[in-house]
Amino acid sequence: MPRPDRFTGRVGVVTGAASGLGRATAIGLAAEGARLVLFDRDAEGLAETAASCPGSVCVAGDVTAAADHARVLDAAAPLGPIALVATAAGILGPAAPLTDVAEADWDRLFAVNVKGTWLAIRAILPQMLAAGRGAIVTFASGAGLAGNPTMPAYSASKGAVVLLTRSLAVSHVTQGIRANCVCPGPIETPMLRDTFAQAGDAAAVAAREAAFRARNPMGRFGTVDEVAESVLFLLSDAASYITGVALPVDGGKLA
Ligand SMILES: NC(=O)c1ccc[n+]([C@@H]2O[C@H](COP(=O)([O-])OP(=O)(O)OC[C@H]3O[C@@H](n4cnc5c(N)ncnc54)[C@H](O)[C@@H]3O)[C@@H](O)[C@H]2O)c1
């Protein structure tokens, strides 16, 4: 249930806001009063999200480009100092054994998932430090907490996001900054469908989906709203004593 006004007066940036978890996070924040800059490479998807986020502005760009993060700062300037960041932009990359991963695919994966997260934080953190206040939630994965045989390169990139976030937390804990990450298990989004699609023909796709479902103690995939609820909690003042946490939102998969 939205709590009107939980984020009223706060300005936030959500990357990956055109789809899935970023979109649900943006819609949740906006419903509770935040004014947002929505950032994604998918301009059409951004416009759809913005329709449910009153007062938001869109920036279409690439999280791997520092210049595009500068455009996010420009777009946020009329709204006020940025107090909230959620970095949901990410890609799956090849769901293949490490020996089959092409160098270009590895570089792109780390550029989007790791460098893209770092660039967003590098751009925005100075404003938060100047204000002495800021809450950051990055998007890692259950695959960033435990090795993953289906998508090992993705797993490595998300492990980097976990420690980027924890390092951020301990670096700025006395300066009013909190940084946490969510580590979703399989959540019903286009990315999850891509994970299955990479298995091959229809039978292999169905088998991979069934295996993912069977490995989850709850026997189901999560919803985007179940993750967004956790992100909103970590961004809110209710989490004022929580920083450096990597929170599984996974139906008990890593329990
Ligand atoms: N869905 C899951 O099961 C799951 C599980 C664990 C972690 N995650 C993580 O959660 C985050 C969101 O995933 P999702 O499932 O919503 O995926 P999604 O594919 O639905 O959305 C990802 C969004 O990121 C955007 N994006 C990708 N590359 C970009 C770039 N270079 N610049 C700007 N935007 C870019 C895409 O356009 C898309 O809108 C990702 O970081 C993902 O790794 C997802």
mmCIF file of all heavy atoms in Angstrom, residues 16-22 39-42 61-64 87-91 108 112-113 139-142 154 158 183-192, ligand 1:
data_model
loop_
_atom_site.group_PDB
_atom_site.id
_atom_site.type_symbol
_atom_site.label_atom_id
_atom_site.label_comp_id
_atom_site.label_asym_id
_atom_site.label_seq_id
_atom_site.Cartn_x
_atom_site.Cartn_y
_atom_site.Cartn_z
ATOM 1 N N GLY A 16 17.337 2.664 -15.389
ATOM 2 C CA GLY A 16 16.614 1.463 -15.800
ATOM 3 C C GLY A 16 15.123 1.610 -15.584
ATOM 4 O O GLY A 16 14.390 0.628 -15.397
ATOM 5 N N ALA A 17 14.644 2.855 -15.662
ATOM 6 C CA ALA A 17 13.256 3.151 -15.281
ATOM 7 C C ALA A 17 12.236 2.785 -16.350
ATOM 8 O O ALA A 17 11.036 2.908 -16.124
ATOM 9 C CB ALA A 17 13.128 4.637 -14.934
ATOM 10 N N ALA A 18 12.700 2.323 -17.512
ATOM 11 C CA ALA A 18 11.766 2.056 -18.612
ATOM 12 C C ALA A 18 11.123 0.676 -18.537
ATOM 13 O O ALA A 18 10.229 0.372 -19.327
ATOM 14 C CB ALA A 18 12.493 2.207 -19.952
ATOM 15 N N SER A 19 11.564 -0.166 -17.600
ATOM 16 C CA SER A 19 11.075 -1.549 -17.614
ATOM 17 C C SER A 19 11.179 -2.152 -16.214
ATOM 18 O O SER A 19 11.865 -1.605 -15.332
ATOM 19 C CB SER A 19 11.915 -2.364 -18.610
ATOM 20 O OG SER A 19 11.533 -3.729 -18.614
ATOM 21 N N GLY A 20 10.509 -3.249 -16.044
ATOM 22 C CA GLY A 20 10.711 -4.154 -14.909
ATOM 23 C C GLY A 20 10.840 -3.496 -13.545
ATOM 24 O O GLY A 20 9.961 -2.750 -13.095
ATOM 25 N N LEU A 21 11.945 -3.807 -12.885
ATOM 26 C CA LEU A 21 12.130 -3.391 -11.491
ATOM 27 C C LEU A 21 12.344 -1.890 -11.355
ATOM 28 O O LEU A 21 11.902 -1.283 -10.376
ATOM 29 C CB LEU A 21 13.321 -4.153 -10.890
ATOM 30 C CG LEU A 21 13.164 -5.673 -10.891
ATOM 31 C CD1 LEU A 21 14.425 -6.348 -10.354
ATOM 32 C CD2 LEU A 21 11.967 -6.092 -10.060
ATOM 33 N N GLY A 22 13.045 -1.292 -12.330
ATOM 34 C CA GLY A 22 13.237 0.161 -12.284
ATOM 35 C C GLY A 22 11.916 0.889 -12.437
ATOM 36 O O GLY A 22 11.633 1.860 -11.727
ATOM 37 N N PHE A 39 15.768 7.591 -15.995
ATOM 38 C CA PHE A 39 16.900 7.472 -16.927
ATOM 39 C C PHE A 39 16.908 6.050 -17.504
ATOM 40 O O PHE A 39 16.856 5.069 -16.745
ATOM 41 C CB PHE A 39 18.186 7.765 -16.147
ATOM 42 C CG PHE A 39 19.470 7.732 -16.930
ATOM 43 C CD1 PHE A 39 19.507 7.923 -18.297
ATOM 44 C CD2 PHE A 39 20.677 7.537 -16.271
ATOM 45 C CE1 PHE A 39 20.711 7.915 -19.002
ATOM 46 C CE2 PHE A 39 21.887 7.523 -16.954
ATOM 47 C CZ PHE A 39 21.896 7.710 -18.319
ATOM 48 N N ASP A 40 16.997 5.963 -18.799
ATOM 49 C CA ASP A 40 17.049 4.651 -19.458
ATOM 50 C C ASP A 40 17.456 4.889 -20.912
ATOM 51 O O ASP A 40 17.327 5.994 -21.437
ATOM 52 C CB ASP A 40 15.678 3.955 -19.411
ATOM 53 C CG ASP A 40 15.765 2.440 -19.580
ATOM 54 O OD1 ASP A 40 16.066 1.979 -20.704
ATOM 55 O OD2 ASP A 40 15.535 1.720 -18.580
ATOM 56 N N ARG A 41 17.905 3.829 -21.565
ATOM 57 C CA ARG A 41 18.228 3.973 -22.998
ATOM 58 C C ARG A 41 16.972 3.848 -23.861
ATOM 59 O O ARG A 41 17.008 4.141 -25.054
ATOM 60 C CB ARG A 41 19.262 2.936 -23.416
ATOM 61 C CG ARG A 41 18.756 1.518 -23.278
ATOM 62 C CD ARG A 41 19.778 0.483 -23.651
ATOM 63 N NE ARG A 41 19.242 -0.835 -23.320
ATOM 64 C CZ ARG A 41 19.890 -1.968 -23.420
ATOM 65 N NH1 ARG A 41 21.126 -1.973 -23.857
ATOM 66 N NH2 ARG A 41 19.317 -3.099 -23.095
ATOM 67 N N ASP A 42 15.873 3.374 -23.275
ATOM 68 C CA ASP A 42 14.638 3.096 -24.007
ATOM 69 C C ASP A 42 13.656 4.262 -23.824
ATOM 70 O O ASP A 42 12.924 4.333 -22.833
ATOM 71 C CB ASP A 42 14.052 1.773 -23.468
ATOM 72 C CG ASP A 42 12.648 1.484 -23.973
ATOM 73 O OD1 ASP A 42 12.136 2.235 -24.835
ATOM 74 O OD2 ASP A 42 12.054 0.498 -23.489
ATOM 75 N N GLY A 61 19.265 7.855 -22.378
ATOM 76 C CA GLY A 61 20.711 7.800 -22.534
ATOM 77 C C GLY A 61 21.249 6.467 -22.070
ATOM 78 O O GLY A 61 20.489 5.567 -21.693
ATOM 79 N N ASP A 62 22.575 6.382 -22.086
ATOM 80 C CA ASP A 62 23.268 5.121 -21.796
ATOM 81 C C ASP A 62 24.006 5.265 -20.462
ATOM 82 O O ASP A 62 24.817 6.193 -20.302
ATOM 83 C CB ASP A 62 24.261 4.849 -22.943
ATOM 84 C CG ASP A 62 24.872 3.468 -22.867
ATOM 85 O OD1 ASP A 62 25.065 2.955 -21.738
ATOM 86 O OD2 ASP A 62 25.154 2.902 -23.929
ATOM 87 N N VAL A 63 23.760 4.354 -19.533
ATOM 88 C CA VAL A 63 24.412 4.465 -18.219
ATOM 89 C C VAL A 63 25.925 4.291 -18.296
ATOM 90 O O VAL A 63 26.627 4.597 -17.338
ATOM 91 C CB VAL A 63 23.845 3.471 -17.167
ATOM 92 C CG1 VAL A 63 22.439 3.841 -16.752
ATOM 93 C CG2 VAL A 63 23.956 2.030 -17.622
ATOM 94 N N THR A 64 26.446 3.804 -19.420
ATOM 95 C CA THR A 64 27.896 3.651 -19.523
ATOM 96 C C THR A 64 28.581 4.947 -19.978
ATOM 97 O O THR A 64 29.800 4.997 -20.063
ATOM 98 C CB THR A 64 28.281 2.520 -20.511
ATOM 99 O OG1 THR A 64 27.936 2.930 -21.840
ATOM 100 C CG2 THR A 64 27.581 1.223 -20.183
ATOM 101 N N THR A 87 19.586 2.420 -8.744
ATOM 102 C CA THR A 87 20.298 2.107 -10.001
ATOM 103 C C THR A 87 19.871 0.729 -10.510
ATOM 104 O O THR A 87 20.539 -0.271 -10.265
ATOM 105 C CB THR A 87 21.826 2.138 -9.801
ATOM 106 O OG1 THR A 87 22.175 1.202 -8.774
ATOM 107 C CG2 THR A 87 22.304 3.524 -9.397
ATOM 108 N N ALA A 88 18.762 0.709 -11.236
ATOM 109 C CA ALA A 88 18.221 -0.578 -11.699
ATOM 110 C C ALA A 88 18.688 -0.970 -13.097
ATOM 111 O O ALA A 88 18.485 -2.117 -13.499
ATOM 112 C CB ALA A 88 16.697 -0.542 -11.668
ATOM 113 N N ALA A 89 19.294 -0.047 -13.855
ATOM 114 C CA ALA A 89 19.709 -0.412 -15.221
ATOM 115 C C ALA A 89 20.683 -1.581 -15.165
ATOM 116 O O ALA A 89 21.638 -1.567 -14.384
ATOM 117 C CB ALA A 89 20.350 0.781 -15.918
ATOM 118 N N GLY A 90 20.426 -2.573 -15.963
ATOM 119 C CA GLY A 90 21.316 -3.723 -15.980
ATOM 120 C C GLY A 90 20.984 -4.619 -17.156
ATOM 121 O O GLY A 90 19.904 -4.506 -17.749
ATOM 122 N N ILE A 91 21.929 -5.466 -17.497
ATOM 123 C CA ILE A 91 21.708 -6.456 -18.558
ATOM 124 C C ILE A 91 22.143 -7.826 -18.054
ATOM 125 O O ILE A 91 22.932 -7.933 -17.116
ATOM 126 C CB ILE A 91 22.454 -6.106 -19.872
ATOM 127 C CG1 ILE A 91 23.960 -5.953 -19.642
ATOM 128 C CG2 ILE A 91 21.864 -4.851 -20.507
ATOM 129 C CD1 ILE A 91 24.773 -5.764 -20.923
ATOM 130 N N ARG A 108 30.901 -5.434 -22.243
ATOM 131 C CA ARG A 108 29.619 -4.721 -22.240
ATOM 132 C C ARG A 108 28.864 -4.975 -20.918
ATOM 133 O O ARG A 108 28.279 -4.068 -20.334
ATOM 134 C CB ARG A 108 28.772 -5.168 -23.448
ATOM 135 C CG ARG A 108 27.443 -4.450 -23.576
ATOM 136 C CD ARG A 108 27.615 -2.980 -23.944
ATOM 137 N NE ARG A 108 26.360 -2.242 -23.875
ATOM 138 C CZ ARG A 108 26.270 -0.922 -23.736
ATOM 139 N NH1 ARG A 108 27.362 -0.173 -23.672
ATOM 140 N NH2 ARG A 108 25.119 -0.321 -23.672
ATOM 141 N N VAL A 112 27.855 -1.982 -18.347
ATOM 142 C CA VAL A 112 26.495 -1.591 -17.961
ATOM 143 C C VAL A 112 26.278 -1.831 -16.459
ATOM 144 O O VAL A 112 25.859 -0.926 -15.721
ATOM 145 C CB VAL A 112 25.440 -2.361 -18.784
ATOM 146 C CG1 VAL A 112 24.031 -2.026 -18.292
ATOM 147 C CG2 VAL A 112 25.581 -2.039 -20.273
ATOM 148 N N ASN A 113 26.558 -3.046 -16.008
ATOM 149 C CA ASN A 113 26.168 -3.408 -14.637
ATOM 150 C C ASN A 113 27.058 -2.753 -13.570
ATOM 151 O O ASN A 113 26.558 -2.341 -12.519
ATOM 152 C CB ASN A 113 26.204 -4.928 -14.463
ATOM 153 C CG ASN A 113 25.104 -5.620 -15.255
ATOM 154 O OD1 ASN A 113 24.320 -4.963 -15.945
ATOM 155 N ND2 ASN A 113 25.044 -6.936 -15.194
ATOM 156 N N PHE A 139 21.131 -2.246 -7.553
ATOM 157 C CA PHE A 139 20.497 -3.527 -7.875
ATOM 158 C C PHE A 139 21.591 -4.548 -8.169
ATOM 159 O O PHE A 139 22.201 -4.527 -9.239
ATOM 160 C CB PHE A 139 19.551 -3.378 -9.064
ATOM 161 C CG PHE A 139 18.250 -2.734 -8.688
ATOM 162 C CD1 PHE A 139 18.220 -1.422 -8.217
ATOM 163 C CD2 PHE A 139 17.060 -3.425 -8.776
ATOM 164 C CE1 PHE A 139 17.022 -0.818 -7.844
ATOM 165 C CE2 PHE A 139 15.852 -2.830 -8.407
ATOM 166 C CZ PHE A 139 15.829 -1.529 -7.936
ATOM 167 N N ALA A 140 21.821 -5.437 -7.205
ATOM 168 C CA ALA A 140 22.712 -6.571 -7.437
ATOM 169 C C ALA A 140 21.819 -7.747 -7.820
ATOM 170 O O ALA A 140 20.930 -7.608 -8.666
ATOM 171 C CB ALA A 140 23.555 -6.832 -6.202
ATOM 172 N N SER A 141 21.977 -8.870 -7.163
ATOM 173 C CA SER A 141 21.202 -10.072 -7.513
ATOM 174 C C SER A 141 21.557 -11.160 -6.521
ATOM 175 O O SER A 141 22.648 -11.116 -5.915
ATOM 176 C CB SER A 141 21.590 -10.526 -8.929
ATOM 177 O OG SER A 141 21.042 -11.802 -9.209
ATOM 178 N N GLY A 142 20.682 -12.145 -6.377
ATOM 179 C CA GLY A 142 21.074 -13.334 -5.646
ATOM 180 C C GLY A 142 22.311 -13.942 -6.293
ATOM 181 O O GLY A 142 23.163 -14.531 -5.614
ATOM 182 N N TYR A 154 27.390 -12.797 -15.506
ATOM 183 C CA TYR A 154 26.429 -11.910 -14.826
ATOM 184 C C TYR A 154 26.659 -11.967 -13.318
ATOM 185 O O TYR A 154 26.683 -10.933 -12.635
ATOM 186 C CB TYR A 154 25.020 -12.365 -15.195
ATOM 187 C CG TYR A 154 23.898 -11.652 -14.482
ATOM 188 C CD1 TYR A 154 23.442 -10.415 -14.927
ATOM 189 C CD2 TYR A 154 23.266 -12.237 -13.380
ATOM 190 C CE1 TYR A 154 22.381 -9.772 -14.274
ATOM 191 C CE2 TYR A 154 22.212 -11.598 -12.730
ATOM 192 C CZ TYR A 154 21.774 -10.370 -13.188
ATOM 193 O OH TYR A 154 20.725 -9.741 -12.543
ATOM 194 N N LYS A 158 27.511 -8.858 -10.750
ATOM 195 C CA LYS A 158 26.638 -8.472 -9.632
ATOM 196 C C LYS A 158 27.377 -8.591 -8.291
ATOM 197 O O LYS A 158 27.091 -7.853 -7.355
ATOM 198 C CB LYS A 158 25.365 -9.309 -9.636
ATOM 199 C CG LYS A 158 24.451 -8.975 -10.822
ATOM 200 C CD LYS A 158 24.010 -7.517 -10.807
ATOM 201 C CE LYS A 158 23.016 -7.178 -11.884
ATOM 202 N NZ LYS A 158 22.527 -5.787 -11.810
ATOM 203 N N CYS A 183 19.098 -7.748 -3.681
ATOM 204 C CA CYS A 183 19.612 -8.923 -4.396
ATOM 205 C C CYS A 183 18.409 -9.797 -4.758
ATOM 206 O O CYS A 183 18.115 -10.788 -4.063
ATOM 207 C CB CYS A 183 20.593 -9.680 -3.515
ATOM 208 S SG CYS A 183 22.042 -8.694 -3.090
ATOM 209 N N PRO A 184 17.704 -9.420 -5.829
ATOM 210 C CA PRO A 184 16.503 -10.192 -6.164
ATOM 211 C C PRO A 184 16.849 -11.606 -6.624
ATOM 212 O O PRO A 184 17.883 -11.848 -7.253
ATOM 213 C CB PRO A 184 15.879 -9.395 -7.320
ATOM 214 C CG PRO A 184 16.518 -8.032 -7.258
ATOM 215 C CD PRO A 184 17.891 -8.269 -6.714
ATOM 216 N N GLY A 185 15.957 -12.516 -6.304
ATOM 217 C CA GLY A 185 15.960 -13.826 -6.940
ATOM 218 C C GLY A 185 15.235 -13.671 -8.267
ATOM 219 O O GLY A 185 15.086 -12.553 -8.780
ATOM 220 N N PRO A 186 14.763 -14.773 -8.866
ATOM 221 C CA PRO A 186 14.066 -14.646 -10.144
ATOM 222 C C PRO A 186 12.749 -13.884 -10.010
ATOM 223 O O PRO A 186 11.868 -14.287 -9.259
ATOM 224 C CB PRO A 186 13.819 -16.095 -10.572
ATOM 225 C CG PRO A 186 14.087 -16.937 -9.387
ATOM 226 C CD PRO A 186 14.899 -16.156 -8.413
ATOM 227 N N ILE A 187 12.677 -12.765 -10.734
ATOM 228 C CA ILE A 187 11.499 -11.900 -10.690
ATOM 229 C C ILE A 187 10.926 -11.835 -12.105
ATOM 230 O O ILE A 187 11.682 -11.717 -13.081
ATOM 231 C CB ILE A 187 11.890 -10.463 -10.241
ATOM 232 C CG1 ILE A 187 12.737 -10.484 -8.962
ATOM 233 C CG2 ILE A 187 10.632 -9.604 -10.072
ATOM 234 C CD1 ILE A 187 12.066 -11.039 -7.725
ATOM 235 N N GLU A 188 9.623 -11.885 -12.199
ATOM 236 C CA GLU A 188 8.964 -11.927 -13.522
ATOM 237 C C GLU A 188 9.144 -10.586 -14.246
ATOM 238 O O GLU A 188 8.408 -9.632 -14.009
ATOM 239 C CB GLU A 188 7.485 -12.265 -13.328
ATOM 240 C CG GLU A 188 6.740 -12.578 -14.603
ATOM 241 C CD GLU A 188 7.368 -13.702 -15.430
ATOM 242 O OE1 GLU A 188 7.202 -14.895 -15.079
ATOM 243 O OE2 GLU A 188 8.026 -13.380 -16.428
ATOM 244 N N THR A 189 10.171 -10.495 -15.098
ATOM 245 C CA THR A 189 10.442 -9.300 -15.918
ATOM 246 C C THR A 189 10.989 -9.780 -17.266
ATOM 247 O O THR A 189 11.336 -10.962 -17.428
ATOM 248 C CB THR A 189 11.511 -8.377 -15.281
ATOM 249 O OG1 THR A 189 12.791 -9.026 -15.401
ATOM 250 C CG2 THR A 189 11.237 -8.048 -13.833
ATOM 251 N N PRO A 190 11.150 -8.851 -18.237
ATOM 252 C CA PRO A 190 11.752 -9.244 -19.515
ATOM 253 C C PRO A 190 13.136 -9.883 -19.355
ATOM 254 O O PRO A 190 13.502 -10.787 -20.101
ATOM 255 C CB PRO A 190 11.842 -7.914 -20.277
ATOM 256 C CG PRO A 190 10.716 -7.078 -19.717
ATOM 257 C CD PRO A 190 10.632 -7.463 -18.261
ATOM 258 N N MET A 191 13.898 -9.435 -18.333
ATOM 259 C CA MET A 191 15.234 -10.026 -18.151
ATOM 260 C C MET A 191 15.152 -11.500 -17.789
ATOM 261 O O MET A 191 15.942 -12.328 -18.264
ATOM 262 C CB MET A 191 16.022 -9.269 -17.078
ATOM 263 C CG MET A 191 17.429 -9.804 -16.921
ATOM 264 S SD MET A 191 18.410 -8.976 -15.656
ATOM 265 C CE MET A 191 18.822 -7.458 -16.483
ATOM 266 N N LEU A 192 14.186 -11.858 -16.950
ATOM 267 C CA LEU A 192 14.045 -13.266 -16.568
ATOM 268 C C LEU A 192 13.683 -14.097 -17.798
ATOM 269 O O LEU A 192 14.232 -15.185 -18.021
ATOM 270 C CB LEU A 192 12.967 -13.419 -15.484
ATOM 271 C CG LEU A 192 12.804 -14.840 -14.942
ATOM 272 C CD1 LEU A 192 14.068 -15.293 -14.202
ATOM 273 C CD2 LEU A 192 11.590 -14.941 -14.013
HETATM 274 N N1 LIG B 1 14.393 -9.848 -13.071
HETATM 275 C C1 LIG B 1 15.150 -10.566 -12.282
HETATM 276 O O1 LIG B 1 14.874 -11.750 -12.073
HETATM 277 C C2 LIG B 1 16.352 -9.950 -11.614
HETATM 278 C C3 LIG B 1 16.977 -10.700 -10.615
HETATM 279 C C4 LIG B 1 18.077 -10.171 -9.980
HETATM 280 C C5 LIG B 1 18.550 -8.911 -10.308
HETATM 281 N N2 LIG B 1 17.931 -8.192 -11.292
HETATM 282 C C6 LIG B 1 18.494 -6.865 -11.603
HETATM 283 O O2 LIG B 1 17.503 -5.868 -11.459
HETATM 284 C C7 LIG B 1 17.742 -4.819 -12.403
HETATM 285 C C8 LIG B 1 16.490 -4.594 -13.239
HETATM 286 O O3 LIG B 1 16.230 -5.782 -13.973
HETATM 287 P P1 LIG B 1 14.847 -6.071 -14.696
HETATM 288 O O4 LIG B 1 14.528 -7.477 -14.488
HETATM 289 O O5 LIG B 1 13.881 -5.016 -14.364
HETATM 290 O O6 LIG B 1 15.327 -5.953 -16.221
HETATM 291 P P2 LIG B 1 14.646 -5.259 -17.487
HETATM 292 O O7 LIG B 1 15.384 -5.789 -18.641
HETATM 293 O O8 LIG B 1 13.166 -5.393 -17.419
HETATM 294 O O9 LIG B 1 15.004 -3.718 -17.254
HETATM 295 C C9 LIG B 1 16.338 -3.248 -17.326
HETATM 296 C C10 LIG B 1 16.290 -1.828 -17.831
HETATM 297 O O10 LIG B 1 17.645 -1.354 -17.905
HETATM 298 C C11 LIG B 1 17.760 -0.612 -19.114
HETATM 299 N N3 LIG B 1 19.138 -0.589 -19.565
HETATM 300 C C12 LIG B 1 19.899 -1.646 -19.920
HETATM 301 N N4 LIG B 1 21.096 -1.230 -20.341
HETATM 302 C C13 LIG B 1 21.099 0.124 -20.251
HETATM 303 C C14 LIG B 1 22.050 1.128 -20.551
HETATM 304 N N5 LIG B 1 23.269 0.823 -21.033
HETATM 305 N N6 LIG B 1 21.731 2.416 -20.319
HETATM 306 C C15 LIG B 1 20.498 2.752 -19.838
HETATM 307 N N7 LIG B 1 19.553 1.839 -19.573
HETATM 308 C C16 LIG B 1 19.855 0.535 -19.757
HETATM 309 C C17 LIG B 1 16.861 -1.342 -20.113
HETATM 310 O O11 LIG B 1 16.524 -0.519 -21.218
HETATM 311 C C18 LIG B 1 15.679 -1.704 -19.238
HETATM 312 O O12 LIG B 1 14.692 -0.696 -19.255
HETATM 313 C C19 LIG B 1 18.946 -5.249 -13.235
HETATM 314 O O13 LIG B 1 20.112 -4.641 -12.732
HETATM 315 C C20 LIG B 1 18.989 -6.749 -13.024
HETATM 316 O O14 LIG B 1 20.273 -7.257 -13.202
HETATM 317 C C21 LIG B 1 16.838 -8.680 -11.945
#
